[in-house]
Amino acid sequence: MADFEPGSLPDLLPLYYRRVFPFGLYGRWLRYGDVSKNYFQRREFSFTLRDDIYVRYQSFNTPLELEKEIQKMCPYKIDIGAVYSHKPIQHNMVHLGAFQAQEKELVFDIDMTDYDDVRRCCSSAEICPKCWTLMTIAIRIIDRALVEDFGIKHRLWVYSGRRGVHCWVCDESVRKWSSSLRSAAVEYLSLVKGGEETIKKVTLPDNIHPFISESLNVVKRYFREYALVEQDILGSKESYEKVLALVPENILSRAYGACQRVLHILLGTLKKMAHTESEIMLQYCFPRLDMNVSKGINHLLKSPFSVHPKTGRISVPIDLKKLDEFDPFAVPTISRLCHELDTVSNDEGDAKENDGEPENSRRSRDYKKTSLAPYVKVFEQFLEEMEKSHKKERLKNTLALQKICTAALLHPSL
């Protein structure tokens, strides 16, 4: 079938939102089991409509109300914001200063354009299999740190639909973090410092922190194939001079010789200077996070299962168990999904099967019959694990409360 054409989006979105978008699971996620009164109702959503019309501070009483509004408006893009002190739709009716963002998932945004100074294959919004390895490395480094260093359990990694990845950290305690805590977390996870004018962006201390050591272990798994083969960072004078610019002069003077031999001599010398070798590896491969996206509680981020208006690809969850196999170019486009739905609709047997079934049941069957199904399954498994954990925690708290009450009854003096 034909590739996605951006001009076709207005015709495809109604079908996508009506028959494919997994609204049932989506509502389960953002309700979090209704952890507090009006929790879902106080969540901000924003819509980007046709002709770049941007609508903020949308909120809904129920997930079903959100579903109907999306199907009515057919937004080109959906963003998710914070849970506020009041319903966002009423923000103009609240006294100045009273309307405050109270909590939100800790989010991370990693964009391939931030690696333009170290990738040779592509630039700007372009990506290819050669540079996508950078996103794989970033996910492995950040996810390991979230789990092992921060003790976080519930992370949803999502492909943006074009040139990057997002992470939603959904643990209840983390959702309540202040901006300063979020900033501290991003600072901990950041190593590449400096703007375009900065040549050397990674400088390691004498005593390397365990987070950096663990990150290096990840980078080393990919570096030779990615940097020396696929990116061929020493394959031209311009590219290897960028590498040499990161080497201290006292080491460089020992390594400089004929251009044909500089790679072998340099690598042999760097092995004796572990920090320099590590600094080069990290500058070329370490994750580059957008601090502003993560630290602001009221910062909005593109919703999972949104359609990217430029590529037509769906913003899908990433299965961490198959991370090395993830292919952004294999992610279904909205045009492909609509074509698959047309095939399903033309199947007479399937039409009979659906005859008389409620709309929710038909929609569930529809997305399960498209190439979006495995990605929705990843999302569903994420939700099930999170809900199971929440139930276990609630049971633990209930039992603890029962013990306290029993002790109080047996010992009134307490």
Side-chain angles (χ1 to χ4, degrees), residues 44-211:
E44 180 191 2
F45 297 88
S46 77
F47 300 149
T48 302
L49 308 178
R50 192 172 184 175
D51 298 324
D52 288 328
I53 297 173
Y54 187 51
V55 185
R56 273 201 72 174
Y57 299 115
Q58 301 300 290
S59 60
F60 305 91
N61 291 321
T62 65
L64 181 58
E65 191 177 297
L66 168 65
E67 174 181 350
K68 290 180 178 179
E69 186 67 12
I70 288 176
Q71 291 173 343
K72 174 186 172 183
M73 303 292 287
C74 288
Y76 277 39
K77 183 176 151 210
I78 304 168
D79 288 298
I80 300 174
V83 175
Y84 282 82
S85 53
H86 301 75
K87 295 179 180 179
I89 198 77
Q90 299 173 345
H91 73 283
N92 285 328
M93 302 166 60
V94 179
H95 291 298
L96 185 65
F99 182 69
Q100 296 289 332
Q102 293 187 326
E103 63 177 81
K104 192 192 70 174
E105 297 79 5
L106 173 63
V107 294
F108 297 100
D109 180 11
I110 308 175
D111 194 311
M112 193 72 83
T113 56
D114 292 327
Y115 294 84
D116 278 0
D117 62 315
V118 292
R119 58 178 183 147
R120 298 185 65 203
C121 53
C122 305
S123 63
S124 190
E126 297 176 347
I127 63 168
C128 73
K130 290 182 178 181
C131 56
W132 187 256
T133 303
L134 289 168
M135 293 295 107
T136 302
I137 294 171
I139 293 173
R140 290 208 180 279
I141 288 176
I142 300 300
D143 195 71
R144 186 217 61 79
L146 292 175
V147 174
E148 298 180 18
D149 300 357
F150 288 88
I152 285 168
K153 296 179 180 178
H154 310 298
R155 304 95 51 218
L156 179 67
W157 285 94
V158 180
Y159 169 51
S160 71
R162 192 176 192 184
R163 60 176 184 260
V165 295
H166 302 152
C167 179
W168 298 77
V169 177
C170 301
D171 294 45
E172 184 174 359
S173 60
V174 177
R175 299 201 307 268
K176 301 178 187 299
W177 277 8
S178 65
S179 291
S180 58
L181 277 176
R182 294 165 192 260
S183 297
V186 180
E187 189 66 31
Y188 176 90
L189 296 168
S190 298
L191 193 60
V192 180
K193 306 288 179 68
E196 293 182 6
E197 303 303 318
T198 305
I199 296 175
K200 185 176 175 58
K201 299 180 180 180
V202 175
T203 301
L204 298 178
D206 290 337
N207 296 319
I208 295 181
H209 190 279
F211 166 63

